[in-house]
Amino acid sequence: MEVLGRIRRRIGSRLMYEYLLLLFLMAGMILISFLATDYIARNLATEEARQAVDVVFEQAGDRILILEEDIDSLYNNVVYNPAMSVFLQASEASERWDNLDGFLQVVGNNMRINENLENVSVYNEEGYLVAARGDVFFHKEAELLQNGLTSYSNRLVDSKTGSRYFQVGMPVYDDANGIVLNQIGSVVLLFNVNSLQEIVDSALPNEEAGMGIVDRRGATIVSAGRWLENYGHRKESGEEENSLVYVSEAGKTGWRLISVVPKDSLFSGVNRMQRVNLLTYICTLLMMALVCVLVYARVIRPISRQTAFMAGFARDTGQRIEVTEHNEIGELARKMNQMLDDIEALNSRVIESRKRVLELEYAKKQTEMVAYRSQINPHFLANTFNCIRGIALCHGDRDVAELTMALAVFFRYSIQGEEMVTVQEALESLRKYALIIEYRFNGKHKIELEAGRELFHRRFPRMLVQPLVENAVLHGLETKTEGGAVRVHFELLAAGSDQENRYVPEKLSVTVEDNGQGISREQLQQLRAAMETYDRDGAIPDRAYGIGVLNVYRRMRLFYGDRASFWIESEEGRGTRIRLILPLQRESAEEAER
């Protein structure tokens, strides 16, 4: 920590010190990441490569076994053919000559079956050659058929062409009624090494490896890749200093399948990747160093100059920052100079603003007096309605008295000060309004109210339903020639759980539905667009259609926010339906008990 402190003091700028520290930390993290990646990649590549080599080597061994099975099938086709037995058991040359066609047919058929079969030679019981067919001929190897079983020869090489072959010796027995009696001769099949060459070519792990099949003496029969003759003397699998050695017996042939894989070849892809990573690491360091220089020249030094300016500004408020940069830092300096100019201009207006404070206070008091006076008029009108009702009763006009009483109750409900009312109070006001509408339209239009008693003492905002009912009467029913109706339905929505299993409390559903003129599709789209505008911008458009509905929507959002829901459906000539779903509130515990 002391060393870091000395370094920071030597650099001077704390911002530059922190940036350099961050630079070195990032460089260290990148270096550690590079080393860790190299270690993990090499281990993974080694393991995966070894598994792949194991699988390929085992597949090569399986293919050699399949080759042996094919040769065994060919053996059965030749040895157990009656024509071959008759040909070998002929006692005289003339009799054997008579059966030669059968022998040639058997040989020809099997050569067509196996294209790698180059020659078929037949030997009698004493080991003398009695017949052979094929383009290439080798005398029977002395080691063949010593144990009386099928056996494979060592490598055979044509001295003229250099081509390689191998022999398979097969004993032939006299078979009478399925009982094996004695050996009557042998058949020697001569094969080229093309099928073996295909096996080692397809099983070569990579270009750096070597794979081959060697005979019992260690001579190479076939090979692929970077194969050396001394590889043929390896007897066991193992791991050498620079390579991996795989050795397995090639079935019952007596040969060995050998694969030698240099360890460096397993990391060829990893080495290329790490060279790219190293180049990326160096380029990243160079870029970080360049960024460090640019940050110092374009950011840290200008900020240090501005810091020094702010430290000396208190001594001379008339000075300004010298702007030399044409970037965001320079723009910041220009804005700071502008801000200082604005501060001076504001200071010059402070005294003038203080003088206007008294004038504003005086205007505020006058506004309060006007507000007090405005509260007198509604009460005066309510008292006047009661006076008219009394005069009507005195003259025996009960209709005028009843209508005046309804108007007084409705007006009193409208001017009460509390924002929240009970469902019962809202219903009482709507009943009085319904009575006024009945008198006004001579009973042609009706207002129907529906609400359960369990909702009477639940609270919701004043004047939230009333404007919707008035709107339905004014725009929906007033121009209708036949009778109409407005239905107001209050419903309790029980608590429950939503689709995400979250608790949903009780809510109040209010539906205002009429069978009036309805709203055209264009006007309904304008109304819904205005609601979306209010949700997005917090303001109702100036020329919005249905300002009464929008005011109700605005009040609902002000009280409940997103917890409340609002739907409007309408079709021109078929009425309008508006539904509100509101969170519930009780008036008080005593009223809830009642």
Side-chain angles (χ1 to χ4, degrees), residues 389-401:
R389 176 176 175 272
I391 294 173
L393 289 174
C394 289
H395 289 80
D397 194 342
R398 301 188 63 83
D399 289 340
V400 174

Side-chain angles (χ1 to χ4, degrees), residues 317-591:
T317 58
Q319 62 177 334
R320 296 292 182 266
I321 303 175
E322 181 183 0
V323 181
T324 58
E325 293 79 15
H326 300 284
N327 52 23
E328 286 77 5
I329 300 296
E331 184 66 20
L332 177 63
R334 283 189 289 271
K335 293 295 183 181
M336 187 175 294
N337 289 337
Q338 182 179 352
M339 180 189 68
L340 295 176
D341 293 337
D342 293 341
I343 290 175
E344 285 192 355
L346 289 174
N347 289 335
S348 64
R349 293 197 297 268
V350 167
I351 297 176
E352 184 178 350
S353 298
R354 289 178 178 175
K355 291 180 180 179
R356 296 171 59 185
V357 168
L358 295 175
E359 297 177 1
L360 294 175
E361 290 291 335
Y362 179 72
K364 180 180 178 182
K365 291 181 179 180
Q366 285 185 328
T367 303
E368 291 176 353
M369 292 299 296
V370 172
Y372 292 146
R373 292 194 190 99
S374 65
Q375 293 180 1
I376 297 174
N377 292 332
H379 292 288
F380 174 75
L381 290 175
N383 293 332
T384 301
F385 289 144
N386 288 329
C387 181
I388 294 173
R389 176 176 175 272
I391 294 173
L393 289 174
C394 289
H395 289 80
D397 194 342
R398 301 188 63 83
D399 289 340
V400 174
E402 186 178 10
L403 181 61
T404 306
M405 182 62 185
L407 185 59
V409 173
F410 177 73
F411 191 72
R412 188 181 305 112
Y413 172 82
S414 301
I415 66 172
Q416 285 177 348
E418 295 184 6
E419 284 290 346
M420 304 297 291
V421 296
T422 63
V423 173
Q424 185 176 11
E425 291 173 343
L427 287 171
E428 182 63 25
S429 173
L430 289 173
R431 289 192 187 97
K432 298 304 180 183
Y433 180 74
L435 181 61
I436 296 171
I437 295 301
E438 187 175 354
Y439 273 105
R440 178 182 175 187
F441 292 100
N442 294 322
K444 184 175 69 171
H445 301 316
K446 301 290 185 181
I447 298 179
E448 302 172 0
L449 305 176
E450 298 177 6
R453 294 186 61 84
E454 71 276 5
L455 288 173
F456 280 5
H457 298 290
R458 301 300 179 95
R459 286 178 166 272
F460 71 100
R462 176 190 302 279
M463 301 302 290
L464 202 60
V465 179
Q466 181 69 37
L468 299 179
V469 178
E470 294 180 15
N471 201 67
V473 173
L474 178 63
H475 298 289
L477 303 183
E478 189 169 7
T479 58
K480 192 173 183 180
T481 56
E482 67 274 10
V486 179
R487 179 174 173 267
V488 182
H489 178 66
F490 291 83
E491 181 184 1
L492 177 65
L493 300 181
S497 301
D498 60 9
Q499 295 180 350
E500 298 181 1
N501 203 25
R502 295 177 299 187
Y503 174 73
V504 178
E506 291 181 333
K507 291 188 177 182
L508 174 64
S509 172
V510 183
T511 304
V512 180
E513 185 175 6
D514 67 77
N515 60 354
Q517 299 297 327
I519 305 174
S520 66
R521 180 177 299 180
E522 294 77 11
Q523 293 171 337
L524 188 61
Q525 290 177 350
Q526 293 177 10
L527 187 59
R528 288 172 176 166
M531 293 178 185
E532 293 177 358
T533 300
Y534 178 79
D535 289 337
R536 183 179 63 252
D537 302 333
I540 296 176
D542 293 338
R543 298 184 179 179
Y545 173 81
I547 195 68
V549 176
L550 292 175
N551 281 332
V552 171
Y553 184 80
R554 179 180 60 83
R555 282 172 55 80
M556 182 194 73
R557 284 284 179 249
L558 290 175
F559 273 93
Y560 298 112
D562 294 337
R563 294 182 298 143
S565 303
F566 187 99
W567 290 277
I568 179 169
E569 300 173 358
S570 183
E571 186 175 349
E572 193 169 5
R574 301 187 64 177
T576 303
R577 184 174 184 269
I578 298 177
R579 188 185 184 196
L580 294 80
I581 295 182
L582 312 172
L584 276 174
Q585 294 185 16
R586 290 184 182 273
E587 183 177 354
S588 65
E590 295 78 4
E591 293 179 344

Side-chain angles (χ1 to χ4, degrees), residues 85-319:
S85 298
V86 171
F87 182 78
L88 280 173
Q89 290 178 333
S91 57
E92 296 180 1
S94 60
E95 183 181 357
R96 186 167 289 145
W97 178 263
D98 294 337
N99 294 310
L100 182 62
D101 292 339
F103 163 74
L104 295 177
Q105 184 178 1
V106 171
V107 173
N109 291 337
N110 285 280
M111 282 186 170
R112 284 191 292 271
I113 293 174
N114 192 321
E115 61 183 6
N116 296 315
L117 181 60
E118 299 286 352
N119 183 280
V120 177
S121 301
V122 180
Y123 294 83
N124 60 16
E125 184 178 0
E126 290 78 18
Y128 294 107
L129 179 67
V130 296
R133 182 182 181 184
D135 297 333
V136 182
F137 175 78
F138 283 88
H139 286 288
K140 180 178 67 172
E141 192 178 48
E143 298 178 0
L144 281 179
L145 300 169
Q146 288 184 353
N147 55 3
L149 300 174
T150 300
S151 57
Y152 289 73
S153 71
N154 292 314
R155 181 188 68 182
L156 302 175
V157 181
D158 189 336
S159 59
K160 294 181 179 180
T161 62
S163 300
R164 298 180 181 183
Y165 303 89
F166 66 91
Q167 292 177 336
V168 180
M170 303 174 177
V172 181
Y173 294 92
D174 182 17
D175 188 356
N177 298 322
I179 301 175
V180 177
L181 297 177
N182 59 341
Q183 183 175 348
I184 60 175
S186 61
V187 175
V188 176
L189 305 180
L190 180 67
F191 293 91
N192 60 41
V193 297
N194 293 343
S195 58
L196 297 176
Q197 188 64 50
E198 291 177 1
I199 292 175
V200 296
D201 287 340
S202 61
L204 190 66
N206 54 61
E207 297 178 356
E208 303 295 325
M211 175 172 278
I213 298 176
V214 299
D215 59 19
R216 289 178 291 276
R217 298 173 300 185
T220 303
I221 300 175
V222 290
S223 63
R226 297 190 178 183
W227 175 264
L228 301 179
E229 288 298 327
N230 61 356
Y231 290 168
H233 301 292
R234 285 169 166 78
K235 303 293 184 180
E236 296 180 353
S237 300
E239 183 175 348
E240 299 180 354
E241 181 179 359
N242 298 319
S243 60
L244 302 175
V245 179
Y246 296 84
V247 180
S248 71
E249 296 294 331
K252 60 184 179 181
T253 62
W255 303 336
R256 280 171 289 133
L257 175 65
I258 301 174
S259 178
V260 180
V261 184
K263 292 182 178 180
D264 291 341
S265 66
L266 302 179
F267 304 123
S268 58
V270 177
N271 292 334
R272 287 194 296 269
M273 182 185 69
Q274 291 305 97
R275 283 195 293 270
V276 173
N277 289 344
L278 180 60
L279 180 61
T280 304
Y281 174 72
I282 295 173
C283 293
T284 302
L285 288 180
L286 293 177
M287 290 298 296
M288 292 174 66
L290 178 61
V291 169
C292 182
V293 174
L294 292 177
V295 167
Y296 175 76
R298 299 295 183 88
V299 179
I300 296 177
R301 188 167 61 183
I303 291 178
S304 300
R305 191 168 62 249
Q306 293 181 15
T307 303
F309 164 78
M310 297 302 296
F313 178 74
R315 295 189 297 270
D316 183 9
T317 58
Q319 62 177 334

